[in-house]
Amino acid sequence: MKKLISLALALIMLVSAMPMALAGADDNSMTVILGAEFSTLDPLALPSSPEINFCTNIFDSLVKVDKDLNIIPCLATDWTVSDDGLTYTFNLRQGVKFHNGNDFTAEDVKLSIDRFRDETWMQFASFAVDSCEVVDDYTVTVKLKYAYGAFLSMLWYCAIIDSDYYAACTPDAFARNPVGTGAYKFVKWDAAQQVVLEANESYWDTPAQIKTLIFKFVTDSNQAYIAVENGEADFYFNVSATDFLRAQQDGVLGTATCRGNYFYFASFNADVISKEVRQALMYAVDRDVLNVFVNEGTGIVGDLPLVEGQEGYTTDIKTYEYNPEKAKELLAAAGAEGLTLNYYYAENSLNKKLGEALQALFSQVGVTLELNPVESGTWWATFDTEPYGMSRGGYPMEKANTDSCYYDMFHGENGTFNVAHIKNDEIDALLDQARVELDSSARNDLYIKVNQILAEEAYNIPLFFTASFVVYNPALKGVEAITDSNYQYKEFHW
């Protein structure tokens, strides 16, 4: 009897030490949690980063950006650029087939580039494209409207589609049944439930090791976390700081984190608040305390929405240390004692926490911040016209292109996300010059000047990069957190 009891205890200890039950390892499948359902899987009409990132597993582009921010070949094997920077000639990879068996040729690239240029949702990346011409079956030229030095860094957004398949489909059928050349093939899309992909056995590059991918739509973050915790799913990358810290403490799930690509500002409305008051309030913000309140300390506090290695990164800018007494002194000098400001923001938990933190900090220097949350669509439609005093600013930064984000946030005439209402002729001129500058070193110098002006004028309070969190089945291999969440599932294996 004692031997049986000892054996039973040993078995219990063995079972408790074993990793959780695998959701897909036994049949070589993997289940991924996504926070929202897709609106389309037409890769040239995708309205958001999660959809774009998902589709890079089904579709290839001409080029890719690697982890070191280098532009590397994909469906183009190599390319040349004319001396004036207006014409790019791409030599295409031969022997590649779409998932339906059709050959990949220059005609497919032409249609894809033409749609990339014309589709509304792609014009953030394609604005410089003028035309694409077929030279032969495996050569194309792309002409630009003007020289744009960062063109290749945005070309990865142009998914290459099968021109014959596209012509044979209705728009809705194409959007619901994507066909690409990527590492995974589309299997099915069950509305409000899941999308299923399977490995492309004829993939031209390193093939995927996991045969089946199941993407479950789970909008409730708590339910999503529990699904991974219970072994019902294997990978979840839209994790809150609270759940991530919980997973780290429990030690049951695999965890990974890195700096995310989204940088947050608290933006002043320069139409409403003077430079003197903006500078005063910069000294009223303890960013470390704010980071703890908003992100549980997991954000990466910074003075710029850039990191070392990106064009424009510099430490040679004016900075504002936390100094509430100096803030009070400058507010008094500006005649702004007892100031009341309206903080206007799209309603979500992070923006609410940020507003509450700013409200508490500003109250310490005699400034009242009134919180004005609105529905997200309302904020997007009216942030450029609403007479707010402050709002939440920020942007998902590109890995290898400072222009795309800076132009949109800071250009007074053409920026579509100019939350701070910046109207500065010198900044506009520098951004316009940088956009057509072909030399990276020269662009770097121009963006440094932009950053110096932005800091001096105090249009925005620079806050933090949010962190990118991942929790996963600990039996899953090849997992690491990625700054922009553009996960390539062919790199994962059991």
Side-chain angles (χ1 to χ4, degrees):
M1 178 63 71
K2 288 182 179 179
K3 288 184 178 180
L4 289 174
I5 293 173
S6 298
L7 179 60
L9 288 172
L11 286 172
I12 290 170
M13 292 177 65
L14 178 62
V15 170
S16 65
M18 291 174 65
M20 71 181 67
L22 307 185
D26 291 342
D27 59 359
N28 201 22
S29 68
M30 180 175 76
T31 299
V32 181
I33 297 292
L34 297 178
E37 184 167 17
F38 304 127
S39 59
T40 178
L41 290 178
D42 177 346
L44 294 167
L46 300 173
S48 70
S49 295
E51 291 164 308
I52 291 171
N53 290 339
F54 174 82
C55 279
T56 59
N57 289 278
I58 301 173
F59 295 90
D60 292 317
S61 50
L62 292 179
V63 301
K64 297 189 292 187
V65 181
D66 71 11
K67 294 177 182 178
D68 298 318
L69 308 184
N70 299 308
I71 311 299
I72 60 174
C74 189
L75 289 180
T77 56
D78 56 81
W79 52 87
T80 58
V81 186
S82 62
D83 290 341
D84 60 9
L86 293 175
T87 303
Y88 288 70
T89 301
F90 295 93
N91 296 311
L92 307 179
R93 196 174 299 278
Q94 300 185 33
V96 175
K97 289 187 178 292
F98 287 96
H99 299 151
N100 57 9
N102 289 348
D103 290 328
F104 160 69
T105 70
E107 291 293 342
D108 305 308
V109 176
K110 175 170 172 50
L111 172 66
S112 302
I113 295 287
D114 287 348
R115 287 197 62 212
F116 179 59
R117 175 196 62 200
D118 296 338
E119 291 286 346
T120 300
W121 287 110
M122 287 291 109
Q123 289 177 14
F124 77 95
S126 66
F127 52 82
V129 176
D130 182 48
S131 64
C132 178
E133 301 299 331
V134 172
V135 176
D136 57 43
D137 283 350
Y138 293 101
T139 313
V140 297
T141 59
V142 177
K143 294 187 180 297
L144 304 186
K145 299 171 186 175
Y146 49 83
Y148 180 41
F151 168 62
L152 287 175
S153 71
M154 301 303 282
L155 193 58
W156 75 269
Y157 284 107
C158 180
I160 303 302
I161 64 175
D162 179 352
S163 55
D164 291 335
Y165 178 68
Y166 182 74
C169 286
T170 65
D172 184 63
F174 184 79
R176 302 285 304 189
N177 299 277
V179 170
T181 63
Y184 280 95
K185 300 188 292 185
F186 175 82
V187 176
K188 66 175 181 175
W189 178 357
D190 298 323
Q193 296 182 47
Q194 64 180 6
V195 168
V196 179
L197 307 181
E198 68 177 13
N200 175 11
E201 296 178 358
S202 302
Y203 190 49
W204 59 270
D205 198 1
T206 305
Q209 297 185 55
I210 294 178
K211 182 177 180 180
T212 304
L213 296 179
I214 303 164
F215 296 85
K216 297 283 189 181
F217 305 125
V218 183
T219 56
D220 183 277
S221 60
N222 187 54
Q223 291 181 8
Y225 180 85
I226 291 172
V228 183
E229 193 175 42
N230 291 344
E232 298 167 10
D234 302 301
F235 187 73
Y236 178 36
F237 62 87
N238 195 26
V239 187
S240 69
T242 301
D243 283 341
F244 179 80
L245 294 173
R246 170 185 164 192
Q248 275 194 322
Q249 184 175 6
D250 292 347
V252 175
L253 297 176
T255 60
T257 184
C258 68
R259 174 190 59 81
N261 70 325
Y262 205 108
F263 189 86
Y264 277 80
F265 291 110
S267 296
F268 297 112
N269 184 343
D271 290 337
V272 175
I273 305 177
S274 69
K275 174 180 177 179
E276 292 74 20
V277 173
R278 297 195 303 264
Q279 288 183 329
L281 291 176
M282 295 284 277
Y283 291 105
V285 177
D286 186 332
R287 295 183 299 170
D288 292 323
V289 167
L290 187 148
N291 182 35
V292 170
F293 184 81
V294 176
N295 302 309
E296 300 195 32
T298 61
I300 297 88
V301 173
D303 296 315
L304 292 173
L306 301 171
V307 296
E308 192 169 358
Q310 292 178 306
E311 290 178 356
Y313 177 81
T314 181
T315 57
D316 184 20
I317 57 172
K318 181 178 178 65
T319 58
Y320 302 81
E321 75 282 0
Y322 176 55
N323 189 335
E325 294 306 314
K326 186 168 185 176
K328 292 178 186 177
E329 178 186 326
L330 292 175
L331 285 168
E337 293 174 294
L339 178 67
T340 296
L341 293 175
N342 169 25
Y343 180 73
Y344 180 71
Y345 64 95
E347 190 167 16
N348 63 43
S349 59
L350 189 147
N351 287 345
K352 182 174 184 290
K353 284 183 178 180
L354 179 55
E356 290 171 346
L358 289 169
Q359 187 180 57
L361 289 166
F362 282 6
S363 71
Q364 300 301 307
V365 298
V367 172
T368 300
L369 193 66
E370 297 179 342
L371 305 187
N372 183 18
V374 295
E375 189 273 332
S376 180
T378 301
W379 183 81
W380 273 97
T382 61
F383 77 80
D384 58 343
T385 57
E386 181 74 16
Y388 54 83
M390 294 186 71
S391 188
R392 197 278 293 166
Y395 214 90
M397 304 302 293
E398 294 290 337
K399 291 182 290 189
N401 185 342
T402 299
D403 165 78
S404 174
C405 309
Y406 268 48
Y407 201 90
D408 208 20
M409 285 192 291
F410 306 136
H411 198 284
E413 183 176 356
N414 298 317
T416 65
F417 199 71
N418 185 0
V419 179
H421 290 198
I422 298 169
K423 300 178 181 67
N424 186 302
D425 291 342
E426 188 175 3
I427 289 176
D428 287 357
L430 288 166
L431 291 175
D432 288 337
Q433 185 179 350
R435 174 157 277 197
V436 299
E437 175 58 61
L438 299 181
D439 181 73
S440 176
S441 177
R443 286 198 304 270
N444 181 64
D445 292 341
L446 293 168
Y447 290 127
I448 287 175
K449 291 179 183 177
V450 170
N451 282 322
Q452 290 168 336
I453 297 169
L454 289 169
E456 173 63 30
E457 293 292 329
Y459 293 115
N460 302 281
I461 304 174
L463 299 176
F464 48 76
F465 284 101
T466 50
S468 177
F469 298 124
V470 172
V471 296
Y472 60 95
N473 186 322
L476 189 61
K477 308 301 181 185
V479 178
E480 61 179 273
I482 296 177
T483 293
D484 60 359
S485 297
N486 188 10
Y487 291 99
Q488 301 301 296
Y489 298 102
K490 69 174 184 174
E491 299 171 2
F492 293 5
H493 60 93
W494 293 110

